[in-house]
């Protein structure tokens, strides 16, 4: 993940200094060099840039303040936030690299004479991915310039409720004030500081995509989508990869689907240490990392040797350095996320928070982007539209992709009761898997519906190739209130995996075998 993090803005006029009675900021009446804006966005990730660009297009004077502290390993990146630099974009490209390895192996079944073994060159892939990311960094800079949005590469913190002080890498300070301020600083990966050697010898998703050399034999600690996605593409590139799971995989997702995801990974070479927690990481004389862990059930300790330890144990919001207390902005004391209402407003009416930094929001790039756009339209475009956080589709880009939208089966049962929920499901075999003789044991679809006609669709879960593309299409129907009856009246496109959704005839309650036969 994120964040975030995780994108936009424009037009300029220097304002004359405000009259003394209207001056904003603790710096006093006429702070030298202070610049004033209609909107100041703190954070140059997906949501922040989207908000800034939208506001600028609506004719407002906008500034973006963005600064990336290097990771503990020293990794740095440019404008664009988590998504562009250390999240969605490089992740998807490395996922694609791993998928291509599988397709090359399939190719011989389709008549291509492929010489084995087929080595993978990490350095070449990483350079190509990093070059693309850098082009996106530049693209965001150009877009801001084209829309005449002021961009400041400064680390911003609040002076008061209308003013921030930004500090450059070289220590130069700049005061910025605005009528409206949006906080979109996203989050950063956590290190398990209680584990000896974690910070000294481990890396996170902030680093993996910028490694110049292959990480080699890797231990991934965690079971989030970040952990499983990284482990998946590492395994797909032929690297010896182990995932250490403390409790359950993909917490917050449908657990039947999560089990199938890890089952598929295990059957394709990824190793799992379940119910284990790390205790210590130390560097051996030969440069390898020795990890000691504990089996939580038995209390027994064990060790293993790895080239890389990747921590994927959660993310923390980037709020601690903002001096939010000086502006009166409230945070959740448990996780330091900013408390917001349905309008994205904080405890200070003209200060807003969007994206991963906001309490209770999905940590997803597209939600941050839409929330940012809608916020700008409400502030400056006479819109009243609020961001809707229900039925947000997403996909976990594990080797066998998992796409979902709406409620999990567990959530549906908890909300409506088992007797009011009907689940239609199927195990299917993608046509592409047949000639290549691929195992399709985990290719599975389920649609969670209300039992009472017309059986409103509450959630869709799809495990298989191109899950994101499939889920995106059905998400529109579910967003519009599609019923099971309507989906069943939808003509499928043949032969595709997506058409299997429109053929879900067998319910779990029936007890019948849900395996699809025939074409």
């Amino acid at each position: 993940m994120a964040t975030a993090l995780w994108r936009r803005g424009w037009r300029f006029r220097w304002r004359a200094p405000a009259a003394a009675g209207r001056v904003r900021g603790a710096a006093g009446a006429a702070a030298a060099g202070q610049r004033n804006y209609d909107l100041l966005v703190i954070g140059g990730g997906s949501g922040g840039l989207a908000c800034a660009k939208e506001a600028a297009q609506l004719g407002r004077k906008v500034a973006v303040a963005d600064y990336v502290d290097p990771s503990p390993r020293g990794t740095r990146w440019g404008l664009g936030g988590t998504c562009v630099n250390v999240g969605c974009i490089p992740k998807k490209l490395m996922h694609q690299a791993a998928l291509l390895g599988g397709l090359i192996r399939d190719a011989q079944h389709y008549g291509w004479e492929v010489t084995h073994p087929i080595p993978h060159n990490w350095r070449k892939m990483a350079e190509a991915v990093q070059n693309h990311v850098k082009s996106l960094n530049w693209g965001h800079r150009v877009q801001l310039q084209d829309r005449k949005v002021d961009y400041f590469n400064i680390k911003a913190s609040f002076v008061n409720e209308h003013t921030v002080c930004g500090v450059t890498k070289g220590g130069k300070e700049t005061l910025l004030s605005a009528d409206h301020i949006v906080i979109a600083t996203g989050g950063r990966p956590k290190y398990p500081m209680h584990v000896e050697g974690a910070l000294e010898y481990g890396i996170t998703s902030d680093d993996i995509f910028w490694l110049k050399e292959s990480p080699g034999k890797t231990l991934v600690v965690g079971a989030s989508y970040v952990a499983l996605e990284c482990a998946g593409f590492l395994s797909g590139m032929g690297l010896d990869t182990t995932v250490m799971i403390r409790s359950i995989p993909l917490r917050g997702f449908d657990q039947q689907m999560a089990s199938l995801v890890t089952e598929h990974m295990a059957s394709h070479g990824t190793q799992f240490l379940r119910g284990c927690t790390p205790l210590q990481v130390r560097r051996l004389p030969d440069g390898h990392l020795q990890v000691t862990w504990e089996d939580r059930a038995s209390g027994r300790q064990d060790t293993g040797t790895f080239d890389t330890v990747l921590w994927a144990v959660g993310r923390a919001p980037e709020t601690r350095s903002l001096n939010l207390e000086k502006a009166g902005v409230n945070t959740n004391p448990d996780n330091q996320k900013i408390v917001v209402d349905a309008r994205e407003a904080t405890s200070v009416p003209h200060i807003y928070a969007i994206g991963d930094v906001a309490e209770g929001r999905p940590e997803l790039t597209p939600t941050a982007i839409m929330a940012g756009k809608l916020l700008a339209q409400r502030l400056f475009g006479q819109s009243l539209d609020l961001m809707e956080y229900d039925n947000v589709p997403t996909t976990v880009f594990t080797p066998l992709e998992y796409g979902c939208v709406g409620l999990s089966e567990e959530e549906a049962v908890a909300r409506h009761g088992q007797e009011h929920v009907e689940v239609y499901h199927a195990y299917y075999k993608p046509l592409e898997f047949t000639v290549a003789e691929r195992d399709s044991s985990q290719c599975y679809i389920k649609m969670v519906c209300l039992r009472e006609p017309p059986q409103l669709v509450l959630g869709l879960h799809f495990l298989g190739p191109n899950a994101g593309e499939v889920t995106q299409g059905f998400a529109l129907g579910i967003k519009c209130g599609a019923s099971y009856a309507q989906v069943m009246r939808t003509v499928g496109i043949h032969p595709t995996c997506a058409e299997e959704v429109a053929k879900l005839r067998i319910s779990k309650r029936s007890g019948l075998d849900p395996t699809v036969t025939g074409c």
Side-chain angles (χ1 to χ4, degrees):
M1 87 179 195
T3 222
L5 301 6
W6 65 132
R7 316 174 165 89
R8 297 182 191 137
W10 322 235
R11 233 185 115 126
F12 273 126
R13 312 171 302 278
W14 293 116
R15 289 184 178 175
R22 295 171 45 239
V23 167
R24 300 174 296 223
Q34 178 168 318
R35 303 181 183 187
N36 305 300
Y37 296 90
D38 297 315
L39 175 69
L40 169 63
V41 177
I42 306 174
S46 304
L49 292 177
C51 186
K53 294 174 186 178
E54 190 72 16
Q57 287 177 327
L58 291 168
R60 299 304 174 127
K61 185 179 179 183
V62 183
V64 172
D66 183 64
Y67 187 87
V68 179
D69 285 314
S71 75
R73 289 292 295 267
T75 306
R76 299 173 180 270
W77 54 87
L79 183 64
T82 298
C83 174
V84 167
N85 295 282
V86 289
C88 319
I89 299 302
K91 177 272 304 290
K92 180 71 181 292
L93 292 173
M94 292 192 178
H95 169 63
Q96 175 65 11
L99 291 182
L100 287 172
L103 291 175
I104 292 170
R105 290 188 291 274
D106 287 353
Q108 60 185 336
H109 295 280
Y110 284 90
W112 292 96
E113 299 298 333
V114 180
T115 303
H116 292 278
I118 307 166
H120 179 263
N121 186 322
W122 176 281
R123 176 178 280 272
K124 188 172 184 179
M125 173 202 67
E127 182 179 356
V129 170
Q130 291 158 15
N131 284 341
H132 177 66
V133 168
K134 290 173 183 176
S135 75
L136 296 177
N137 298 149
W138 177 250
H140 283 307
R141 293 285 295 270
V142 170
Q143 288 174 21
L144 292 180
Q145 187 175 28
D146 288 347
R147 292 167 174 80
K148 297 189 170 51
V149 171
D150 268 351
Y151 166 62
F152 296 91
N153 186 206
I154 55 176
K155 188 169 185 177
S157 60
F158 281 91
V159 175
N160 59 45
E161 63 180 18
H162 278 288
T163 308
V164 304
C165 177
V167 182
T168 67
K169 182 180 177 182
K172 181 181 177 182
E173 294 187 353
T174 301
L175 284 177
L176 305 174
S177 66
D179 296 331
H180 303 278
I181 299 176
V182 174
I183 303 169
T185 47
R188 298 290 288 271
K190 294 179 183 178
Y191 277 83
M193 300 305 293
H194 63 283
V195 177
E196 181 184 345
L199 187 63
E200 294 86 344
Y201 304 122
I203 67 172
T204 69
S205 58
D206 276 358
D207 309 295
I208 185 72
F209 305 110
W210 292 91
L211 296 179
K212 301 298 184 185
E213 303 295 338
S214 170
K217 182 181 179 183
T218 302
L219 173 66
V220 179
V221 182
S224 64
Y225 71 89
V226 174
L228 297 187
E229 288 176 339
C230 289
F233 68 67
L234 292 175
S235 289
M237 294 173 194
L239 299 178
D240 186 337
T241 307
T242 300
V243 179
M244 183 180 293
I245 300 178
R246 181 187 62 182
S247 53
I248 61 172
L250 295 179
R251 184 179 300 278
F253 289 85
D254 187 287
Q255 283 302 292
Q256 180 188 11
M257 307 303 291
S259 295
L260 289 169
V261 166
T262 54
E263 183 181 303
H264 178 271
M265 291 177 67
S267 68
H268 287 76
T270 304
Q271 302 167 72
F272 286 88
L273 292 170
R274 295 179 180 272
C276 296
T277 54
L279 300 175
Q280 181 192 60
V281 182
R282 69 185 188 94
R283 190 179 294 281
L284 299 175
D286 63 2
H288 291 94
L289 300 177
Q290 184 183 74
V291 181
T292 303
W293 63 84
E294 179 183 68
D295 184 295
R296 300 179 72 204
S298 66
R300 184 174 62 87
Q301 293 187 10
D302 206 345
T303 63
T305 303
F306 304 89
D307 298 308
T308 300
V309 176
L310 173 65
W311 303 110
V313 292
R315 297 177 65 83
E318 285 279 79
T319 55
R320 293 184 185 275
S321 64
L322 291 173
N323 288 337
L324 294 175
E325 64 280 0
K326 290 189 176 181
V329 174
N330 294 335
T331 60
N332 181 332
D334 295 329
N335 59 19
Q336 302 306 310
K337 288 198 171 191
I338 297 173
V339 179
V340 295
D341 63 17
R343 300 176 300 110
E344 324 299 348
T346 69
S347 52
V348 181
H350 65 272
I351 300 177
Y352 304 84
I354 58 173
D356 295 9
V357 77
E359 171 76 3
R361 301 306 192 221
E363 295 185 358
L364 297 169
T365 294
T367 57
I369 291 172
M370 185 172 289
K373 287 182 176 180
L374 291 174
L375 174 57
Q377 289 166 9
R378 290 196 302 275
L379 290 177
F380 307 118
Q382 299 181 332
S383 171
L384 297 176
D385 292 342
L386 297 175
M387 175 65 190
E388 296 177 3
Y389 290 98
D390 291 332
N391 292 324
V392 172
T394 191
T395 291
V396 181
F397 289 98
T398 39
L400 193 63
E401 298 174 5
Y402 166 37
C404 60
V405 58
L407 301 183
S408 66
E409 184 174 352
E410 296 94 335
E411 289 171 331
V413 169
R415 186 174 300 185
H416 299 283
Q418 184 73 59
E419 69 278 11
H420 298 297
V421 173
E422 195 77 83
V423 178
Y424 296 92
H425 65 151
Y427 286 95
Y428 69 101
K429 186 157 193 169
L431 183 62
E432 299 88 334
F433 283 24
T434 55
V435 171
E437 300 176 358
R438 280 204 191 194
D439 178 29
S440 63
S441 301
Q442 292 84 32
C443 291
Y444 178 73
I445 308 168
K446 71 174 172 182
M447 187 183 295
V448 183
C449 308
L450 284 177
R451 194 175 182 189
E452 182 180 345
Q455 297 187 286
L456 181 73
V457 178
L458 302 175
L460 176 66
H461 302 267
F462 181 97
L463 189 56
N466 305 304
E469 312 298 337
V470 173
T471 307
Q472 181 69 79
F474 284 101
L476 173 61
I478 293 173
K479 185 74 174 176
C480 293
S483 67
Y484 172 74
Q486 289 172 323
V487 176
M488 290 305 101
R489 289 198 300 271
T490 300
V491 177
I493 300 172
H494 187 68
T496 63
C497 295
E499 73 173 311
E500 300 300 336
V501 177
K503 295 160 57 178
L504 293 173
R505 301 290 182 182
I506 295 175
S507 69
K508 281 190 173 184
R509 185 175 270 105
S510 73
L512 299 175
D513 182 0
T515 304
V516 174
T517 57
C519 67

